[in-house]
Every structure is written in structure tokens, then in C-alpha cells.
Amino acid sequence: MRIILLGVPGAGKGTQAAIISQRLGIPALSTGNILRAAIAAETPLGLQVKDILARGDLVSDDVILPLIKERAEEPDCAPGYILDGVPRTLAQAEGLDALGFGIDACLFFDVPDEAVISRLSGRRTCRGCDKAFHVTGNPPKTADVCDYCDSELYTRPDDELETVQKRLRVFREQTAPLIDYYTERGKLKVVPSGGPVDQVTALVFEALGIS
């Protein structure tokens, strides 16, 4: 099964991608994780997009599409894959179609902006192992210290309040049109995602027709 996850930053796409991946045995291809790994490794791609991500802007299609195509052609993607973070614009969606990405379903995670701001502004990320925590929803055992590797927790630049608000505006302007794009193609499945993780997971599997 080949699935697109669509929704504002902080809608829960990454959490559900991991659950779907484990259940179906297909990889979750997160552009955010791939790009952040490139930044940490200081690869040419990482240096190119470091400032773009920190500002909350979109990475250009000539970087994103070849990156995803290369990853989707690896052997572990043969049974299917989950696209998390792409497409973000109509041009990207059309570009994926042109590259031969056959999509079975597009899940749209519908969540109020207020909930997203709360989720992201409270998120803390480990500098060592990149594990994510939340000051109220999933706090570490010791404040500002990772439970897994004892490294420092910090607020990513793209989780700062002003950046989150900008990312929401960018979504409304550039990504929301994809809702109509995949609706017209009979691929869109709306998943209300303001509730607890297990409740959202049940709605995801229902939308995918998985019991």
C-alpha cells in the first residue's frame, strides 16, 4: 500500500506514520527526518536546506522530489511506503504523478490550529538521539534531559511559536489545495486527529479498511 499523510505540522502524522509502518510492514519516508539527518551530517544537501527549515519555509521541488524518488526505489519500499511531508504543493503532487508514484490513499489529518500550536511549542527534542518529548504530554523523567541517552533536550527552531504560526499560514496557502486535488482523484480520507493517539490510530485503520 502506498499512502500519503497530509496535514498541518503537528497534526500527528509522524506518530501515525510509525504505527502504520509497523502494522503494514512498509517504511515511512519522512522528508523532515531525512533532511534533518543530512543537516546533522553536514552533507551538501544539509547545508543547502538548514536555513530554509529553520525559517519554516518549504524546500524547493528540485531538492525534495529527487530525494524522495531515490529513497522510494530502495528494496524495502517494494511492498509500499508512507510519504510524510511530501507533497506539500500542487506542483509537488503533479511532480510525483509524473515520476510514477501510484498512490492508493491520502490521509488528511484534520486538527484545530490551537491544538497544533500547543503540541509543537511544547515539544522538546534530544540533541543526541533525536527522540521527541513534550513538556506536558510526554515529559522526560528529568527536566530537559533525554530518558534514553541523557543528552540535552531543546526546542527545535521550527518548533518556536512564531515559526509554528508561519508554518500554519504556509500550509493554508500552499498545501491545503491538495485536499481538493486528492478528493477529485478519489484518494482522500479525512481523519479527525485532535484526540488521543490510540483513538486517531483506530480512525486511520478504519479509513484504510484495515481491521
Side-chain angles (χ1 to χ4, degrees), residues 110-181:
D110 191 15
V111 60
D113 286 0
E114 295 78 11
V116 169
I117 291 172
S118 175
R119 287 178 184 179
L120 293 188
S121 62
R123 185 163 63 180
R124 300 295 182 268
T125 303
C126 176
R127 291 190 186 277
C129 65
D130 207 39
K131 294 287 187 180
F133 297 83
H134 193 278
V135 292
T136 57
N138 179 33
K141 296 175 183 177
T142 302
D144 301 322
V145 178
C146 178
D147 291 351
Y148 301 92
C149 69
D150 294 328
S151 296
E152 178 190 10
L153 301 181
Y154 74 108
T155 301
R156 289 186 347 214
D158 52 339
D159 286 340
E160 297 285 354
L161 179 58
E162 290 186 3
T163 304
V164 171
Q165 292 173 330
K166 179 177 181 179
R167 293 170 73 192
L168 289 172
R169 290 196 300 272
V170 169
F171 178 88
R172 301 304 179 201
E173 294 169 0
Q174 301 190 37
T175 309
L178 292 174
I179 296 171
D180 290 338
Y181 184 85

Side-chain angles (χ1 to χ4, degrees), residues 29-82:
L29 312 185
S30 168
T31 55
N33 289 344
I34 293 172
L35 292 174
R36 281 190 288 272
I39 291 172
E42 297 186 341
T43 65
L45 175 63
L47 296 175
Q48 181 179 356
V49 303
K50 182 177 181 179
D51 291 339
I52 298 175
L53 289 182
R55 294 194 305 269
D57 292 335
L58 296 176
V59 179
S60 63
D61 295 352
D62 61 347
V63 174
I64 289 294
L65 295 182
L67 177 73
I68 295 299
K69 184 176 187 297
E70 181 179 70
R71 178 66 183 90
E73 289 175 344
E74 294 183 13
D76 65 328
C77 291
Y81 45 78
I82 303 159

